[in-house]
Amino acid sequence: MNAPTIRYKKMNGLGNEILVVDLRADRLALTPEMVRAVAAAPRSGFDQMMVLLPPRAQGIDATVRIYNNDGSLSGACGNGARCIAALVMQETGGSAATFETAAGLLNAWDAGDGLITVDMGPPDFNWETIPLAEEFRDTRAIELQIGPIDAPILHSPSALSMGNPHAIFWVDDVEAYDLSKIGPLLENHPVFPERANISLAQVTSREAITLKVWERGAGLTRACGSAACAAAVAAARKKLTERAVTVTLPGGPLRIDWRESDDHVLMTGPWELEYEGAVSVETAAPAA
Ligand SMILES: N[C@@H](CCC[C@H](N)C(=O)O)C(=O)O
């Protein structure tokens, strides 16, 4: 048994709890078991942990590994991306940052007024890479429903990947559902072989969506940046909204712009550094 000390910065993006662990100059090998232990400790609880690792090429500020609080990995975390971009910009004195994630390169820049824009890349509608368990003629009409067959509570979500899998259910009132109850059922539905982030989306105008999210591997969160991007893209694709919208989550609003010129989704929002700390977690795994 050893108990390595993990230093962290506790941040949030619209109340989405982010823990940044900078291992760019540290050879500590984190395991999912250690990640879960950090998440369970009193001051270091989080929705996502953003682990910064040494960059593998010039021009990149860090390689980023994204963990959910259940120890699983994700390819994207929009709110976390704004947090680490803010830290890197403070460190370099620059106005932009570039990261490599499991889903590809991520560029972010200072948008003024304390906001950061992240280029979340293009959406992916391919059923094999979302991934879904089988091909649907139209991923906008996935045969997924919850509740009685003749009176389903929720049905026909849109599905797409923003580097991580999302399902968006269209509702008249996001408050009319208990997402803490139905979220886990939908997250783990067999149609999603790698589970999925589950959103309830209420389109309130051509430029506005209200969203609540049950996150894969983390549960109910106050905000989810990639889900906001996924909902905005899916709504525009269904011609419910324009390509530029404000998505309002329990933690506040995000500005999303699905850029026509290159198909990339731009997400703009705030970030906050709350405090710094350290936690020791007992592990059977030897330190690298
Ligand atoms: N909160 C994030 C998304 C985090 C990852 C997600 N739970 C997954 O497993 O894909 C965001 O802001 O995008």
Side-chain angles (χ1 to χ4, degrees):
M1 278 283 180
N2 62 39
T5 298
I6 297 167
R7 294 184 195 292
Y8 61 80
K9 288 190 167 66
K10 174 66 176 49
M11 304 185 76
N12 77 77
L14 280 182
N16 195 182
E17 304 290 341
I18 305 295
L19 206 74
V20 181
V21 175
D22 188 352
L23 298 182
R24 283 175 295 176
D26 191 330
R27 296 190 57 225
L28 178 72
L30 273 180
T31 62
E33 174 204 15
M34 291 160 77
V35 169
R36 284 192 291 273
V38 174
R43 277 172 60 82
S44 56
F46 59 86
D47 298 321
Q48 275 78 44
M49 178 192 282
M50 309 290 284
V51 182
L52 305 185
L53 300 165
R56 294 191 303 172
Q58 265 200 334
I60 295 174
D61 293 295
T63 301
V64 184
R65 196 171 294 152
I66 304 164
Y67 286 100
N68 291 309
N69 61 24
D70 72 350
S72 62
L73 285 164
S74 179
C77 177
N79 291 323
R82 292 198 311 282
C83 291
I84 56 173
L87 291 182
V88 164
M89 286 185 226
Q90 283 182 344
E91 186 182 291
T92 62
S95 57
T98 301
F99 302 103
E100 186 179 359
T101 68
L105 283 187
L106 205 62
N107 290 309
W109 56 90
D110 187 347
D113 295 329
L115 303 178
I116 287 180
T117 298
V118 181
D119 180 346
M120 299 285 286
D124 178 5
F125 303 104
N126 182 327
W127 72 273
E128 286 166 298
T129 45
I130 290 174
L132 300 175
E134 57 185 292
E135 184 170 13
F136 292 91
R137 226 171 353 116
D138 178 354
T139 57
R140 287 168 285 180
I142 293 173
E143 288 158 20
L144 164 60
Q145 65 175 51
I146 187 161
I149 195 123
D150 50 347
I153 299 167
L154 288 170
H155 61 90
S156 308
S158 299
L160 63 121
S161 171
M162 284 303 313
N164 56 349
H166 289 274
I168 303 108
F169 289 87
W170 306 99
V171 298
D172 291 335
D173 177 7
V174 292
E175 301 304 335
Y177 303 86
D178 187 350
L179 197 49
S180 66
K181 285 226 169 71
I182 54 184
L185 301 175
L186 294 165
E187 172 193 358
N188 293 292
H189 192 283
V191 77
F192 304 120
E194 293 180 13
R195 303 187 285 161
N197 297 288
I198 305 297
S199 291
L200 299 180
Q202 179 183 347
V203 175
T204 53
S205 80
R206 295 284 305 164
E207 287 92 20
I209 299 171
T210 301
L211 197 72
K212 281 180 95 168
V213 187
W214 173 268
E215 281 196 29
R216 175 179 71 163
L220 270 186
T221 55
R222 291 188 53 73
C224 177
S226 53
C229 295
V233 162
R237 198 162 180 248
K238 282 168 84 74
K239 310 264 185 258
L240 299 173
T241 60
E242 305 302 326
R243 293 173 72 105
V245 293
T246 298
V247 179
T248 302
L249 297 125
L254 284 172
R255 190 76 195 141
I256 310 293
D257 186 1
W258 185 15
R259 198 162 58 186
E260 204 138 18
S261 57
D262 61 359
D263 199 35
H264 283 215
V265 184
L266 307 185
M267 175 204 60
T268 302
W271 59 276
E272 192 180 9
L273 172 60
E274 297 176 21
Y275 52 85
E276 298 186 27
V279 57
S280 290
V281 289
E282 283 217 337
T283 172

